[in-house]
Amino acid sequence: MNETLNPERTIYNRQMAIFIFCIAILAKLADLPALLTRQVQSSAFILIAIYCVLEVIVFVFIYLFAVGRGVEYLNRSHPAVKIPIYAILFLLLIFKLFFLSTYAINVVTDLFFDTIDPVIIVMTMFPIIAFMVKKGIQPIARTAEFFFLICFLMIAFIFMFLDTEVNFNRLKPIFTDAPAKILDKGLSVGLFFGDTTSFLLVMLRKHQKNYVPVSLFFSYLLVIAITALSIAIFGNALSISQNIIVELVTYNQIVAIIGRLQWIGLIPIMILITVDLSFLFWGTAEALTGIIKKREIATYVVLLTLLIPLLAISNYERIFEFSTGPVGYISFALSFLLPIVCYIMLCVLRRKYAKVN
Amino acid sequence: MIMSIDGFIKQIKDAFVNSDDLMVRSFTSGGLDCAIIYIDGWIDKEILDQDVLKPLIEVNVKLVPPYLDKLKSTLFFPEDIMVSYELGEVCTKVASGDIALLMEGAESFFMLSLRKPPMRAVAEPPTESVLRGPREGFIEDIKTNIALLRKRLRSPKLVVTMMNAGRYSNTSIAIMYIDGIADEKIISAVKEKISRIDIDGVIDSYYVAHRLQERKFSIFDEVGTSEKPDIVASKILEGRIAVLVDGSPVCLTVPMLLLESFQDSYDYYSSSFRSTLVRMYRLLGALFTIIMPGMYVALESFHMHLLPLKFLIVLFNATSGIPFPPAIEMLIVLLLFEILNQASVRMPRFMGISLSVVGAIVLGDTAVKAGLISSPAVLITALSAIGIFCVPDQVQTFSILRTLFVILGAVLGLYGIIIASVGLVCYTTSINSYGTPFLAPYAPIVAPDLKDGFLKADEVDMGTRPYSFPNKNRRRAK
């Protein structure tokens, strides 16, 4: 196998650790707690905790695949193996990308700027994302690195001046439905699962300390903690919120001094959305490149595939309804199984090449 | 080729289109007809008379070929005599300030270098004055500038490579670096870029700077500049490559990091605590400059409800009755400031004080009192105008960004400001200057270099050269 790392898809383990933080915070704290609260009330907390544990398990396979330069082996494998894997990956990621994009537009227009037309959001946000994707994974990773501390400090700031009453009794699960039905509801929101699937396409450069396990542990722990805090504060009323961070930030202890902190909540959310969408977009374009071989064309195809429906959609609520249908279950299954399949394939291909050499 | 003096003089005069400052002095030496040709005003006439003409005229034995040996034994500076066989080369050298010596019957031209171009004395550069530290600055003469750097880096490892560029200006360009520290790939890339310069004239180092930039239409200056030899010497010691251009007091350095714009030589001549604080002020100044006017417009136009009540009341009182919307008002104040700034740069210095009085008191105060513009808008613009000079290397860039942020704030509100900030960071992270990420050591995070970032460690703790850009030897202190 070629010993040099392809710079176009190589990131440092430090950058991967930061990506994990950004992705976990946005994907799990976006609309998921509200959606689950709407469906299973306070059992949402347990479901999110299960989701996070599953996410960590799946990530172990993804990490092993990335460290083992799985994507290089995949590219060298027989077309009958690589094309279906790339095709499945592309479909999964483009659905997730489309879904996250609609969420991003919705959160910006509904929560902050109801006077701005969604078309303007699309037309201003996506050129930046497309620019980053065109430049490759490194600028996206560097942007994430640059903003990491800012986002972290802002989230810490939000919680430092939290002004609300907390009732942890609300965390007790009330099993209004049978556990099987609760799990069923949980599986339906599969597009919120598999945040780290795009890492299947990166190659990891080990550099100094490995922060990935630390980041993985603390990011998902933070997600669980914030979810627990939100349910303890809002209870079932959480079902009407669209973003936990914004809900938590709106009223604070220092409102009289520096005003409402909505915009402090908006800044990390917008940053995380840009980083997350760029990374997902890059992954989708790379998956398509694995099939059609031309990266630039793949980037434009993904951009158009995304923009046309985004510009045509008039009601974003329907997208959420659609996402919790069969697409949600399929997405969950694929996000769970694909990394495992990829890792098994890597082991098989490694043995094969070892024998050849 | 056997020299016929008159014929060659005619050819050289024709090449110079009978230019009036082309001087030809004929004389006899050892029984031979000789002539010297030079450009008036470029050479040291005293040395010419004393050390060249006088010894040559006083030769009383008949000269026979080869003449070079005789010249070397006659003149006081034998190592400076060069031989040239091409008339075109002779003309180029004469145009560059050399003296051509023609001798009847010789097979070649002899070139002497007695250049004494008009130049000013070494002084403190007006754009980089310091409270503490060396006050010498580069001047317009490349040899003096090289000497100023050699004075600080007295090592045989300091390499100077001379190149020329400009079809008509034939400007000398010096590439300077330390062998064994600077990265070979970057040296080659710089040399290649300079060798590809094919323009009429290189009048200033900025002509070279634009061609050294990796990205053609970058809003940031991606090549470092300094007028101070101490700064350039320290950059060379870090492994950077310096480019000096004859006729310019501004030295270029590559690779460049954005962080360099926030650093100053003063930081290294004062305590680390003070330096850290000062760098933070500069960062705040830059943020004020770029974001504040746009943020003010966005808040006043769209998001007044986000402001604290007391602040809102003050702002409302100050802005009520202003006939313009906030964005137009801010753009007018910024435009006024830019006009005053341009006028003050170009007008004679003795009128500068009058302009400050007119600009600040008469225009600003009267406009506020007349109710045409609000005092918060003037305050914000003043803060932004002062803040921009905290980072003098990026004044032009920040000025453009400031206007962009105002427009986006006016059209899209806070969303515009945030999306512009995110876009700006994305754009900046994509810039590479000779294999160096422009936002290093922050994006990507280069941990060892953070000690000379916005937080500055003590000089004693900086035992390694920067990891942010390629260099061959990381350790600089035991």
Side-chain angles (χ1 to χ4, degrees), chain A residues 14-15 18 108 112-113 115-116 120-121 124-125 128 131-132 135 139 142-143 145-147 208 255-260 262-263 266-267 270-271 274, chain B residues 215 295 302-303 305-309 412-415 418-423 425-427 429-432 437-439 442-448:
Chain A
R14 180 194 64 239
Q15 291 173 327
I18 287 170
V108 172
F112 298 103
F113 308 107
T115 52
I116 300 178
I120 292 173
I121 308 286
T124 49
M125 196 189 283
I128 295 171
F131 171 79
M132 286 227 281
K135 291 285 171 189
R142 286 179 201 161
T143 306
E145 276 185 290
F146 185 86
F147 282 127
Q208 296 167 341
V255 69
I257 305 163
I258 61 165
R260 287 171 70 184
Q262 267 174 322
W263 57 277
L266 174 66
I267 292 169
M270 287 293 299
I271 292 167
T274 314
Chain B
R215 208 187 275 219
M295 184 79 102
F302 297 96
H303 315 287
H305 60 283
L306 293 179
L307 296 169
L309 190 62
L412 297 172
L414 267 180
Y415 172 74
I418 294 169
I419 206 78
S421 308
V422 173
V425 171
C426 296
Y427 172 79
T429 54
S430 72
I431 299 174
N432 271 305
F438 196 51
L439 270 185
Y442 293 100
I445 296 168
V446 185

Side-chain angles (χ1 to χ4, degrees), chain B residues 207-237:
Chain B
Y207 284 63
V208 179
H210 291 305
R211 283 156 183 88
L212 284 180
Q213 289 213 160
E214 301 233 272
R215 208 187 275 219
K216 201 176 174 185
F217 299 108
S218 177
I219 55 167
F220 286 97
D221 287 335
E222 293 171 24
V223 175
T225 56
S226 179
E227 287 192 54
K228 295 197 72 209
D230 58 316
I231 294 176
V232 176
S234 63
K235 287 188 176 181
I236 291 175
L237 283 172

Side-chain angles (χ1 to χ4, degrees), chain A residues 79-96:
Chain A
V81 177
K82 75 174 174 185
I83 302 266
I85 287 181
Y86 273 129
I88 292 167
L89 201 53
F90 169 71
L91 286 173
L92 176 66
L93 292 177
I94 198 137
F95 265 115
K96 287 174 80 72

